[in-house]
Amino acid sequence: MSLWCGQGADGAHGTYSCYAAAELQDGCEHACACLVSDIRQQLGEQLKCLDTRVDVLTCMVSEIQEFFRRRADLEMDYARSLDKLVKNTMLRQKAEKQKKEQWNLFSTYTCWQTMLAQTKQQSRDHAVLSDVYSNHMTSRLTEIVDNIQRIHRKCKEIATESHDDLLRVLTELHTTLKTYLLYESESGQSEVKLRNVENQRRKLEQSISKEKLLASRKARLIEKDLSKKQVKHNENVLKTLKARNEYLLCLEGANAATQKYYVDDVSDLIDCVDFGFHNSIARVFLTHVSCEESRKKSLQEGVASMNECVRSLDARADKQKFLEAFASSFKMPNKFGFKTNRDDQVSQFAISKSTKAEVDQRYRQLCTRLADLRMESEEIWKTLETSESALMNMMNVHDYDYSEYFSSGKKLEPLSKNKDQRLETEEFYLKKFQEYLHGSDLIARLQAKRDLIHCHLEDGFTESFHHTRPLTLPSINKKSKMINGPVGRQPKLFGGSLITYIEATGLDVPVVMQSCIRAINLYGLHHQGIFRVSGSQVEINELKNHFEKGEDPLLIVDSDIDINSVAGVLKLYLRELPEPLFPGNMFDQLVGCAFLEPPEAFIEKLRKLTQSLPHPFFVVLRYLFAFLSHLSEFSDENMMDPYNIAICFGPTLMPSVEVHQQSAVNELTKNIILYHDEIFLKEEAGTFYEKYFLFPSDEKGWVLLSCSRITLASSERLQRCQQA
């Protein structure tokens, strides 16, 4: 009974342990099941998130597509409006052909035609833009939507398969966990039973002696039961070990699969869904950027053309075209001849003894009157210049730059109203202009009468009147330089007419030539390969832009300057002249005398040809060849003898040269360099090339700069240099 009780006590403890193991087993299974359930729910939410993401992308692309579709309609409407504007303008021009047939006589007409052409080009550009937006853009975006949805469907299938595989692994993990827990529970129960039997045997051994124990039937039964329980327990332990190993393998596999899915597969699935989307969208917007860049380039070309037209506005050329178009109306009539009703053969002014005193008195009156009129005319001229300058300042106000309103969003301000002041100044200017014209006409008439009388009076009588006043009046052409000059702009230098630039600036030699030659004179006469070695294109363009703006970037230079770039700017200016310094109509004559012998014959022939050149061309050529001759004096150091210089400058100074004419052009240029002093007469007015440049010094005297040397010369020494 005590054994039973003892067994009962041990059995109760074993029963309690079984209950605890069962509760623990249920808790583990429940935790695993909850985790698997959470993962299953999370995987479902992932699919929904991917669906939502695709819907958002599709909606976004559809909005972009709708935007470009509406933008295409607006661009087409704008293109049609611009085209209609141009067509209506052209129709009005055709309808009023008689009124507008003279428009081409004015350089303003070129600006107007350029504006119409630019507007027409803008119409075409916006029509192309509309076509691109309505057809290509929308088609590409439709294709993008189709690709997104198709790839998403396939990726969703792949994701579902991945989810099924992962859930299958988790289910397998749950199953192995249940198996492991079951076998572990059985192993625990068998161990409890084995311990109970061992406790019974131990109590029995303690209660009886060894002799009785060997003969005891109960001991044998206990031993037999113990053997069975031991075998059963060993089997359960083995099964538990295998189940645990299988569970651990499944656990590692499940963790690896879960980590692989969340770390790699999720990212790969999203990448797969987005495959090609960003590249396709980028191509769409790059198409838009390309269109805008093309339109920007077209606008820039239009702006450049308009700037060129503005730069070509030329009042002198307009006046010349106008006079040529109406030559019959403005042609100077023939001089009035002497007419008489009688047979009077005397047609000259005659002074007799009876009229000599009267003529002398009239001559004196004319001289006095002319002196007063000239003084009055000069005063009127000064007032006219002042009023003209004030009026031009009102007209040339720099109120055409509106860039700040575009960049900063600044509100547009109303135009300044100075009309009353301008009208007042204009009225005063026209009044003075009228007075000047009337006065100059009167002076011209009186001067003609005075000159006629002067020719027939005795020299001794009129000697005191020779220098009373200058016989010339202020030229009205001087005034026209201000009126017809560049309005709010510098005259075009590179690629512009040499004569137009000289007339507009009043310089005999363009500033780019004077500045480059001065810099080379100071720091380049000894430079090896000058004019033959190319300079930096970036620096050449920078210097060109400065000169084009009316600046002189070489006004202050030092020895660090790239002299090859300076030489490149000089050659570039000469090369871009629309008409070369030696005109095309003289080319054959010039080439024909290239090998003329002896040198005296060459000099005589070239002198006649150069004297027939326009005066601005003659002065510039004289200045240039004097410098080139000076440069050739240092050929031992710079390796540029007259022939090498001719190779560099011959094609630049001549029109297009054929290959078989190149040697003649080089020989001609070389000989001009050698004999420039005899060819270009110094009697012709204009700027001369000076080998020495004088600059004021802080010390007493002047700085004499030449040939890369700096010396200090006193005033007396300078005087000697100038005389030499």
Side-chain angles (χ1 to χ4, degrees):
M1 188 69 180
S2 60
L3 180 61
W4 177 252
C5 291
Q7 289 177 352
D10 293 338
H13 177 72
T15 303
Y16 175 78
S17 299
C18 290
Y19 286 154
E23 290 179 359
L24 181 61
Q25 177 181 354
D26 293 340
C28 292
E29 291 182 6
H30 179 71
C32 183
C34 290
L35 182 59
V36 172
S37 177
D38 292 342
I39 292 176
R40 181 181 287 107
Q41 183 179 359
Q42 190 179 27
L43 295 177
E45 291 176 355
Q46 288 179 4
L47 294 178
K48 293 180 181 179
C49 292
L50 291 176
D51 292 339
T52 303
R53 190 171 188 273
V54 171
D55 292 340
V56 171
L57 291 179
T58 303
C59 181
M60 188 186 304
V61 174
S62 300
E63 285 295 326
I64 297 174
Q65 186 180 32
E66 182 64 21
F67 169 80
F68 280 117
R69 186 180 291 112
R70 295 186 180 183
R71 175 74 179 270
D73 295 338
L74 293 176
E75 295 289 347
M76 181 56 68
D77 293 341
Y78 186 52
R80 289 171 179 169
S81 299
L82 291 177
D83 187 61
K84 184 178 179 181
L85 175 63
V86 175
K87 288 182 178 178
N88 291 340
T89 304
M90 300 299 292
L91 289 175
R92 285 198 304 272
Q93 289 186 7
K94 291 181 180 179
E96 301 177 0
K97 186 176 181 180
Q98 294 181 350
K99 294 183 180 180
K100 300 180 180 179
E101 62 183 1
Q102 299 177 9
W103 282 22
N104 57 356
L105 299 178
F106 299 91
S107 54
T108 310
Y109 180 69
T110 306
C111 293
W112 172 238
Q113 289 296 103
T114 303
M115 177 65 73
L116 289 180
Q118 186 177 354
T119 304
K120 194 170 183 179
Q121 181 61 42
Q122 287 182 4
S123 174
R124 289 194 293 266
D125 293 343
H126 286 281
V128 172
L129 205 58
S130 174
D131 190 20
V132 171
Y133 287 163
S134 62
N135 295 325
H136 288 237
M137 287 290 211
T138 54
S139 300
R140 288 187 180 185
L141 291 169
T142 301
E143 182 181 357
I144 290 174
V145 172
D146 294 340
N147 292 339
I148 291 174
Q149 294 177 346
R150 184 179 63 257
I151 293 176
H152 172 66
R153 287 193 297 269
K154 187 63 179 176
C155 289
K156 188 175 181 179
E157 294 176 1
I158 296 173
T160 303
E161 292 179 1
S162 298
H163 294 175
D164 293 342
D165 292 341
L166 181 59
L167 291 174
R168 191 179 303 111
V169 171
L170 296 178
T171 302
E172 182 181 0
L173 174 63
H174 188 208
T175 302
T176 55
L177 174 61
K178 290 170 63 176
T179 303
Y180 164 65
L181 292 176
L182 178 61
Y183 287 164
E184 187 182 27
S185 176
E186 291 178 354
S187 176
Q189 293 176 2
S190 63
E191 183 181 5
V192 170
K193 292 179 181 180
L194 178 61
R195 296 293 178 266
N196 290 335
V197 175
E198 288 178 348
N199 290 333
Q200 290 178 5
R201 187 182 66 175
R202 187 170 53 255
K203 290 179 180 180
L204 183 62
E205 289 175 350
Q206 292 175 356
S207 60
I208 59 177
S209 62
K210 292 183 178 181
E211 293 79 5
K212 291 182 178 181
L213 183 62
L214 294 174
S216 172
R217 183 172 177 274
K218 184 177 180 180
R220 288 196 299 271
L221 291 175
I222 290 174
E223 225 21 79
K224 185 177 181 180
D225 188 27
L226 181 62
S227 298
K228 290 181 180 180
K229 292 291 188 292
Q230 186 65 47
V231 171
K232 183 66 175 177
H233 176 64
N234 291 338
E235 291 178 356
N236 288 336
V237 169
L238 182 61
K239 287 166 58 177
T240 301
L241 177 63
K242 292 181 179 180
R244 184 190 301 111
N245 291 338
E246 187 65 26
Y247 168 64
L248 290 173
L249 291 174
C250 290
L251 183 63
E252 289 297 322
N255 288 331
T258 303
Q259 183 178 11
K260 169 67 166 52
Y261 174 77
Y262 280 93
V263 174
D264 297 331
D265 293 353
V266 170
S267 177
D268 293 341
L269 281 172
I270 296 175
D271 291 340
C272 186
V273 172
D274 291 344
F275 183 76
F277 170 75
H278 294 85
N279 292 336
S280 301
I281 287 293
R283 286 172 53 230
V284 169
F285 285 103
L286 285 176
T287 302
H288 168 69
V289 171
S290 174
C291 293
E292 291 296 326
E293 287 288 343
S294 301
R295 195 165 65 90
K296 176 184 175 182
K297 182 179 179 181
S298 179
L299 286 175
Q300 288 176 341
E301 292 175 353
V303 170
S305 300
M306 183 57 67
N307 279 329
E308 191 67 26
C309 290
V310 172
R311 294 167 64 89
S312 65
L313 289 174
D314 192 345
R316 295 182 182 86
D318 291 351
K319 179 177 66 176
Q320 186 63 30
K321 289 181 182 178
F322 178 74
L323 293 176
E324 291 174 358
F326 299 97
S328 59
S329 300
F330 293 95
K331 182 181 179 181
M332 180 183 295
N334 296 328
K335 289 185 177 182
F336 293 99
F338 178 73
K339 303 293 182 182
T340 180
N341 292 329
R342 300 167 57 188
D343 296 333
D344 188 0
Q345 299 300 325
V346 180
S347 61
Q348 295 182 352
F349 186 81
I351 303 176
S352 63
K353 292 182 179 180
S354 59
T355 60
K356 187 175 184 302
E358 181 182 351
V359 171
D360 287 345
Q361 182 181 2
R362 188 170 185 181
Y363 179 80
R364 293 174 182 275
Q365 291 175 351
L366 286 174
C367 289
T368 304
R369 178 64 172 155
L370 280 172
D372 295 338
L373 286 175
R374 285 194 184 97
M375 185 178 299
E376 182 181 351
S377 179
E378 288 178 359
E379 293 297 328
I380 295 175
W381 168 251
K382 293 178 181 178
T383 307
L384 182 64
E385 278 189 322
T386 303
S387 60
E388 181 183 272
S389 177
L391 189 59
M392 289 300 294
N393 289 335
M394 294 180 187
M395 293 180 178
N396 293 337
V397 177
H398 293 276
D399 57 353
Y400 48 80
D401 187 2
Y402 283 76
S403 57
E404 60 177 344
Y405 297 106
F406 290 90
S407 59
S408 62
K410 184 180 178 181
K411 186 178 179 181
L412 198 64
E413 298 176 355
L415 291 174
S416 59
K417 297 180 180 180
N418 56 352
K419 185 176 181 181
D420 295 338
Q421 183 181 0
R422 174 176 170 174
L423 291 176
E424 182 180 354
T425 307
E426 184 180 290
E427 183 178 357
F428 179 77
Y429 166 76
L430 294 175
K431 179 181 177 182
K432 291 300 177 182
F433 182 71
Q434 180 184 15
E435 293 176 2
Y436 178 80
L437 286 183
H438 290 170
S440 60
D441 291 343
L442 179 58
I443 290 175
R445 294 196 302 271
L446 296 179
Q447 182 72 43
K449 294 179 181 180
R450 183 259 183 202
D451 292 342
L452 181 60
I453 297 174
H454 176 75
C455 293
H456 294 83
L457 288 176
E458 293 180 0
D459 294 342
F461 181 80
T462 61
E463 184 176 327
S464 60
F465 297 97
H466 287 341
H467 305 290
T468 55
R469 295 292 292 174
L471 299 182
T472 57
L473 298 174
S475 174
I476 199 70
N477 292 331
K478 179 181 178 183
K479 176 181 66 60
S480 66
K481 288 183 180 181
M482 182 177 295
I483 296 178
N484 300 328
V487 179
R489 60 185 173 88
Q490 292 290 336
K492 188 174 183 180
L493 186 57
F494 288 82
S497 170
L498 176 64
I499 295 178
T500 302
Y501 179 85
I502 289 176
E503 289 180 352
T505 59
L507 299 173
D508 291 332
V509 179
V511 64
V512 61
M513 291 187 63
Q514 295 190 45
S515 187
C516 291
I517 288 175
R518 181 176 64 249
I520 296 172
N521 179 289
L522 294 176
Y523 299 107
L525 293 178
H526 305 274
H527 186 76
Q528 185 173 346
I530 184 72
F531 290 113
R532 190 174 66 238
V533 179
S534 301
S536 168
Q537 192 61 43
V538 175
E539 189 165 350
I540 290 175
N541 292 335
E542 185 177 351
L543 292 173
K544 174 184 175 182
N545 293 334
H546 282 295
F547 280 118
E548 201 66 77
K549 294 176 183 177
E551 304 170 0
D552 187 356
L554 303 177
L555 186 60
I556 301 176
V557 295
D558 52 31
S559 58
D560 294 334
I561 190 172
D562 183 5
I563 207 67
N564 291 323
S565 298
V566 176
V569 172
L570 178 59
K571 290 196 297 182
L572 177 65
Y573 170 73
L574 297 174
R575 186 167 59 249
E576 290 190 355
L577 286 174
E579 184 178 359
L581 293 179
F582 287 114
N585 56 1
M586 297 177 57
F587 180 73
D588 293 335
Q589 301 179 50
L590 290 168
V591 172
C593 64
F595 298 96
L596 196 60
E597 292 291 346
E600 290 77 11
F602 173 82
I603 293 171
E604 184 65 25
K605 182 67 175 177
L606 258 294
R607 183 184 296 159
K608 291 181 180 179
L609 290 175
T610 54
Q611 286 177 350
S612 64
L613 290 171
H615 181 71
F617 281 48
F618 178 88
V619 175
V620 170
L621 283 171
R622 182 177 62 186
Y623 190 92
L624 176 64
F625 277 100
F627 160 69
L628 296 179
S629 176
H630 186 206
L631 178 68
S632 66
E633 295 176 6
F634 301 88
S635 58
D636 292 341
E637 299 178 63
N638 58 35
M639 308 302 292
M640 296 298 289
D641 57 20
Y643 188 78
N644 288 336
I645 297 175
I647 293 175
C648 296
F649 276 90
T652 303
L653 302 176
M654 301 285 181
S656 57
V657 181
E658 301 294 337
V659 177
H660 65 278
Q661 299 171 326
Q662 187 63 55
S663 60
V665 170
N666 295 340
E667 185 68 19
L668 172 68
T669 309
K670 181 198 78 172
N671 289 333
I672 296 176
I673 295 174
L674 291 174
Y675 306 116
H676 78 281
D677 278 335
E678 293 84 356
I679 294 172
F680 297 99
L681 298 178
K682 296 190 183 325
E683 288 76 9
E684 288 284 343
T687 303
F688 290 89
Y689 170 73
E690 298 290 346
K691 293 184 178 181
Y692 299 93
F693 292 92
L694 306 179
F695 296 92
S697 172
D698 293 337
E699 303 178 18
K700 185 177 180 181
W702 297 74
V703 173
L704 182 65
L705 299 180
S706 172
C707 310
S708 306
R709 295 193 300 266
I710 299 179
T711 60
L712 185 65
S714 64
S715 300
E716 295 179 357
R717 185 177 177 185
L718 284 176
Q719 187 175 3
R720 291 197 300 270
C721 291
Q722 292 172 354
Q723 292 174 355

